[in-house]
Amino acid sequence: MDVLFWQLVRLLIHSGYRIAQMSERGDEIWLESGHWRRPTIVRLVRADFDWSRSLRLDIEYTWQFVRQMNGRKIGKGGHVVNVYVMAYPPVDDWEFLVDEPLPLSEPADGAFHTLLIHSSNTAEMLPRLADMTGATIRPEPLTEGADPFATAERLKYEVLTEWHREQEEERRIFEYGKPLFTRLLIVVQVVMFLILEWSGGSTDPSVLIRYGAKFNPLIEMGEWWRFLTPMFLHIGFLHLLTNTFALYYLGITVERLYGSLRFLLIYTTAGFFGTLASFLFTPSISAGASGAIFGLFGALLYFGTVYRHLFFRTMGMNVVSLIVVNLLFGLLVPGIDNAGHIGGLVGGFLAAGAVHLPKRAAWGRQMKALVVAALLAAAGLWLGFR
């Protein structure tokens, strides 16, 4: 049964599951599926319970634990499969404990299933496990004369090696680049703020226009550089402070994911698209890095299209929530250039698609993103200057 336990772990991994947690002794392993729309969590336990009371207590504890999980959404249609691998079942009645699944939430979005696999019912239980997990469950029988203890240790070593390799790959994804340009951009916008204050005040419209704020009449007269310069100017200290903090936290994350040169291209492209959208839909003077910062949100969304499960397992819901909250805030509070925010979000997403992620070239997707970005920019400029 030790061999079967580790075979099940390996087969689930080969079917798209990943190890989320493992006990020190390796007798309890939690795995999660790569299907984010219909998430499945599998708990595999190698244990032998003499009495059904011990089994019942473990099931109830695990069920309550899953219901109180933070940050791991089962979602509609998802479920947890709690699997016990035993040499023999409890000596008293236990079947009633696993007959019906337990609900996970109200209304019943998911279910908590329990399977008990022992040496006498594997032929019946393994197809049920395959059906619940969507995995291919066909354990290889032990060859004649094989040492089961050595085989179990070999399987365990292979599983742990694969797990550590995946963890290292994920760590490298989040640590590809160093946040060089993030810090440089922060210095530039702080220096520009001090220059504005020294020149008469960062809230003075004439000072803002002189140093490159978005001002539609001057852009229409040919000062195209104003599509880029507004991202380095800020109107008042609070504006500078909020955008600096946002740039620091988002910029470090995006620059580590994409690398410095890709990050700079994403940031400036998003800033251009943000100013272009503001030019089209907002006649008032505007300045600030908000459009470029929303472009960093767009770059994180694009990361989610490439590493979907990793995105939603780590930062996904936080990123989506922040985007929604900020856009709603921009709609409800007067004086906020929401057009620039949306333009920056779209521009950052398309720029991220054009440069793609390091070491993962996808020329078809990159060309599509580049063509769409070029068409949108051309259409926006044509509408603005016609």
Side-chain angles (χ1 to χ4, degrees), residues 145-201:
D147 183 350
F149 297 102
T151 303
E153 286 300 314
R154 175 179 59 80
L155 290 168
K156 179 180 179 181
Y157 173 79
E158 291 174 357
V159 167
L160 293 178
T161 300
E162 177 69 13
W163 184 36
H164 293 317
R165 184 188 64 79
E166 288 183 359
Q167 288 181 314
E168 180 63 19
E169 285 184 358
E170 289 184 2
R171 185 189 65 79
R172 289 177 180 174
I173 289 171
F174 287 101
E175 296 180 2
Y176 175 79
K178 296 181 179 179
L180 302 176
F181 282 117
T182 298
R183 295 187 174 97
L184 179 61
L185 288 167
I186 289 174
V187 171
V188 170
Q189 63 188 34
V190 170
V191 169
M192 288 306 303
F193 178 78
L194 295 176
I195 292 174
L196 292 178
E197 291 294 320
W198 182 267
S199 301

Side-chain angles (χ1 to χ4, degrees), residues 344-367:
L345 181 68
V346 173
F349 183 88
L350 292 174
V355 300
H356 207 59
L357 287 153
K359 300 179 180 180
R360 284 184 65 92
W363 298 114
R365 295 182 67 175
Q366 290 176 256
M367 286 303 300

Side-chain angles (χ1 to χ4, degrees), residues 25-263:
R25 294 187 301 175
D27 57 355
E28 179 185 359
I29 299 177
W30 293 74
L31 302 101
E32 54 188 3
S33 71
H35 200 309
W36 68 278
R37 288 185 176 177
R38 190 176 183 271
T40 302
I41 295 177
V42 180
R43 176 188 183 237
L44 280 171
V45 182
R46 174 67 185 95
D48 292 305
F49 294 123
D50 294 330
W51 301 97
S52 61
R53 179 178 181 276
S54 299
L55 177 63
R56 177 178 60 81
L57 291 174
D58 190 81
I59 292 173
E60 290 178 354
Y61 171 80
T62 306
W63 178 53
Q64 294 294 343
F65 172 76
V66 170
R67 285 166 60 89
Q68 297 172 11
M69 273 183 175
N70 291 322
R72 199 180 297 280
K73 306 295 185 182
I74 305 302
K76 187 174 183 179
H79 53 275
V80 173
V81 185
N82 183 36
V83 184
Y84 296 95
V85 180
M86 300 184 178
Y88 49 84
V91 297
D92 54 348
D93 292 337
W94 57 270
E95 289 85 354
F96 70 96
L97 296 173
V98 301
D99 282 342
E100 298 293 333
L102 300 172
L104 287 178
S105 59
E106 295 295 341
D109 291 329
F112 181 92
H113 304 267
T114 296
L115 295 179
L116 194 154
I117 303 173
H118 56 81
S119 54
S120 300
N121 74 346
T122 54
E124 175 190 353
M125 289 295 108
L126 293 183
R128 289 186 59 189
L129 177 61
D131 182 62
M132 289 182 179
T133 60
T136 301
I137 307 293
R138 295 193 185 96
E140 298 178 2
L142 276 172
T143 58
E144 186 176 352
D147 183 350
F149 297 102
T151 303
E153 286 300 314
R154 175 179 59 80
L155 290 168
K156 179 180 179 181
Y157 173 79
E158 291 174 357
V159 167
L160 293 178
T161 300
E162 177 69 13
W163 184 36
H164 293 317
R165 184 188 64 79
E166 288 183 359
Q167 288 181 314
E168 180 63 19
E169 285 184 358
E170 289 184 2
R171 185 189 65 79
R172 289 177 180 174
I173 289 171
F174 287 101
E175 296 180 2
Y176 175 79
K178 296 181 179 179
L180 302 176
F181 282 117
T182 298
R183 295 187 174 97
L184 179 61
L185 288 167
I186 289 174
V187 171
V188 170
Q189 63 188 34
V190 170
V191 169
M192 288 306 303
F193 178 78
L194 295 176
I195 292 174
L196 292 178
E197 291 294 320
W198 182 267
S199 301
S202 61
T203 58
D204 187 331
S206 63
V207 174
L208 289 167
I209 293 172
R210 192 193 325 160
Y211 282 92
K214 190 222 76 173
F215 186 54
N216 289 8
L218 292 180
I219 293 177
E220 291 168 355
M221 292 173 61
E223 296 187 4
W224 287 32
W225 47 271
R226 290 183 184 271
F227 283 118
L228 293 176
T229 52
M231 74 177 78
F232 303 108
L233 309 177
H234 289 85
I235 305 172
F237 179 73
L238 182 60
H239 191 204
L240 172 71
L241 185 66
T242 54
N243 278 352
T244 299
F245 273 111
L247 174 56
Y248 178 77
Y249 289 108
L250 285 172
I252 285 178
T253 301
V254 173
E255 195 166 358
R256 287 193 185 280
L257 287 173
Y258 286 87
S260 295
L261 292 178
R262 288 181 178 85
F263 163 80

Side-chain angles (χ1 to χ4, degrees), residues 374-386:
L375 290 175
L376 282 179
L381 292 172
W382 180 78
L383 289 172
F385 286 94
R386 68 174 182 171

Side-chain angles (χ1 to χ4, degrees), residues 2-22:
D2 290 342
V3 172
L4 177 62
F5 175 79
W6 288 107
Q7 282 185 328
L8 292 179
V9 176
R10 188 175 64 173
L11 289 169
L12 286 168
I13 291 174
H14 289 170
S15 296
Y17 284 76
R18 65 171 297 277
I19 296 176
Q21 186 175 331
M22 181 186 299

